[in-house]
Every structure is written in structure tokens, then in C-alpha cells.
Amino acid sequence: GEGAQITLRQQRYLPAGSKGDPDGLWQIPVCLRWNDGQDQEKCLLLAEREASFSVEGCPQWLLPNQRGAGYYRFSVEKEHFDNLASIGWPKLSDAERLVVLDSAIAEFWRGAIGPDVLSRLFAVAAQSKSQSIGAAPMEVLGFMRRHFFDREQRQQPWPLAAALYRPSMDRVGLLRQAKDDGEMVLLRADVFAFLVDTARDGKLRREASRMAQGLLAPKGLNLDKIDAGMASTALLVALQEQGQGYFDKLVQQLFAS
């Protein structure tokens, strides 16, 4: 093709509703990476309000923060976020995936992109083996649950959220394995807590309640078969589901330990 032109424009980030002044001007080192059939990159100092440069090919995807090293968020058209979530995602490092997620979430909170764009990014992030990437959507979804749902709705299962993280839970499993590294242990605990508390997945809540029963042992809590990070979630579910009876048993075990 005839190539394309990439235009950069700097502006202070402000969330929706803010009355702050967006017109500050900074000297910002910017590095971009894109693919137009082959990997390309360019670094420059953005010292003016706007700067443009031409590229020979037409980028299939564009990342405005190479290696996630720049101290800035970025805004791109929603189709570019979609491209990063699809054809670009396998090419990105974990640091780059994190800045994509951070920038997209920031764009969502200021009303620049809709939940449809965010959901496509969340779908690939939720499948990550990295705890920081896999857990990135959880805060946003938890906020939605707490503030956009009424009290009765918050007590009901959330199938959309459950469908997002169920494959991850199936992959990491509920039981600790000898080969697990720290990243896997943290990811398992986060996914378990999200599905049980935010998504209120009925099957997993029943399993959590059963696991909590197994924690009770004659000489105190038995943590041999459950990650310590999951124990608090299992105990919370058991208290919610089984009520006073389980609470009394738990107190008895704690005093016996």
C-alpha cells in the first residue's frame, strides 16, 4: 500500500466528570511498536502538543508504549484496541499487555470506550498464566458488581463473570501441585476468590464450603491440601452458607490450636 501516518497528541488524563485542566505540556519520551507484516519500532521525544510521522506499511496493530517502559497511558481508536486484543496480543510481552489493559481501563472510566471493547481485552487477559495480567479485570468487574447491581442482584450468580474465569480455574485446578510456582499460587487464589465472591458461581461456592469443612481438624486448621491464600475465601463462604453452626465449630478449633 501507500503507507500510513501516525499522529501523537499529548493531553493530561482526566476521568469522566473531572473539572481539571487537560492542557498541560510535557516532554515525553515515547517509543512505539507495530507490525505491518514485519515488526517495526520508533522512538521520539514528544515535546509539542502534536507530532506526526509516516510509515511505509499499514500497521496491523500498533502499541504506543513499547516494553511498557513509558510513564504514560495511551488512547487509540477502539479498532486498535481490538487489534491489540486479537492479532497483536500473542506478540506482546507481559509488561506490554499490562499497559494495554491499564490504558483501556482508564479509557473506559473516562467514557472513551464502551464495555464491548473492554470485554474483548478481558477475555484474553483472563486466560493469562501471569497473575498480574489474569487478575487485572477483576477490580473493574468487582466495582461494577458492588456499585451497578442492587443488593438482591449481588446475591445472585453472575454468569458472564463466571464464564470469563471458569476456563482459568479449570486450568490451574483447585488443589496445590508440587510443580506450582509463586505465580500459579497467587493466580489460583485470585481466580478462586473472584469466582466465589464476585461471580458467585454456585458449583464453586459449594466446593469452597466443602473445602472449609476439611480445614477443621482436631488440633487446629488443616492447611495441608489448600493454599493459604484460598483458605480465607473458603472460610468466608462456609460462614455465609452454613451460618452459626460453622462459626461455632471454627471458634472451637481456633481455641484448640
Side-chain angles (χ1 to χ4, degrees):
E2 297 181 356
Q5 180 168 277
I6 296 175
T7 298
L8 305 176
R9 184 178 189 275
Q10 61 166 293
Q11 180 178 342
R12 180 185 177 193
Y13 171 78
L14 295 169
S18 172
K19 296 181 180 179
D21 181 8
D23 292 330
L25 196 63
W26 298 266
Q27 296 190 43
I28 308 172
V30 177
C31 285
L32 304 94
R33 190 159 78 86
W34 66 93
N35 187 285
D36 56 11
Q38 55 184 340
D39 290 334
Q40 308 283 1
E41 60 183 60
K42 182 178 179 65
C43 292
L44 55 89
L45 181 67
L46 182 61
E48 304 299 328
R49 179 72 59 200
E50 190 173 290
S52 298
F53 61 92
S54 298
V55 296
E56 293 184 1
C58 185
Q60 300 170 356
W61 55 266
L62 170 69
L63 176 69
N65 194 346
Q66 185 182 22
R67 296 190 298 277
Y71 194 65
Y72 54 86
R73 287 169 168 159
F74 61 83
S75 174
V76 294
E77 297 293 333
K78 67 177 184 178
E79 56 263 31
H80 291 299
F81 274 125
D82 286 342
N83 290 341
L84 286 168
S86 53
I87 55 177
W89 195 258
K91 305 287 187 180
L92 304 182
S93 68
D94 282 351
E96 290 171 334
R97 290 169 180 169
L98 279 172
V99 297
V100 170
L101 288 165
D102 177 71
S103 293
I105 290 169
E107 287 295 274
F108 173 75
W109 287 132
R110 78 181 187 98
I113 62 173
D116 56 331
V117 178
L118 208 59
S119 66
R120 287 189 280 275
L121 278 165
F122 282 3
V124 291
Q127 299 175 42
S128 176
K129 295 180 181 179
S130 162
Q131 183 269 339
S132 54
I133 296 171
M138 294 179 184
E139 182 178 355
V140 178
L141 295 170
F143 182 93
M144 291 177 176
R145 179 82 171 191
R146 292 189 300 273
H147 296 281
F148 299 163
F149 292 24
D150 62 32
R151 184 173 182 179
E152 182 177 348
Q153 289 173 324
R154 289 196 296 270
Q155 302 306 312
Q156 302 301 316
W158 190 6
L160 182 65
L164 196 61
Y165 278 98
R166 249 301 174 181
S168 180
M169 189 80 262
D170 292 341
R171 186 183 71 248
V172 302
L174 286 171
L175 300 179
R176 185 171 57 210
Q177 305 293 325
K179 63 180 181 180
D180 289 349
D181 57 14
E183 193 85 0
M184 179 66 74
V185 171
L186 291 172
L187 179 61
R188 179 184 293 114
D190 283 346
V191 173
F192 180 68
F194 178 84
L195 284 169
V196 164
D197 186 40
T198 302
R200 296 191 71 85
D201 181 278
K203 181 179 179 181
L204 202 57
R205 285 181 69 83
R206 290 189 293 273
E207 181 63 23
S209 188
R210 185 194 66 77
M211 292 166 67
Q213 287 292 344
L215 287 171
L216 300 181
K219 295 184 179 181
L221 295 180
N222 176 19
L223 296 173
D224 290 342
K225 294 184 178 181
I226 183 173
D227 292 334
M230 297 170 64
S232 59
T233 300
L235 289 170
L236 177 62
V237 173
L239 289 169
Q240 292 172 342
E241 301 291 335
Q242 301 178 41
Q244 188 67 41
Y246 186 83
F247 177 79
D248 292 340
K249 291 179 184 178
L250 179 61
V251 170
Q252 184 180 359
Q253 294 300 106
L254 290 174
F255 278 109
S257 60

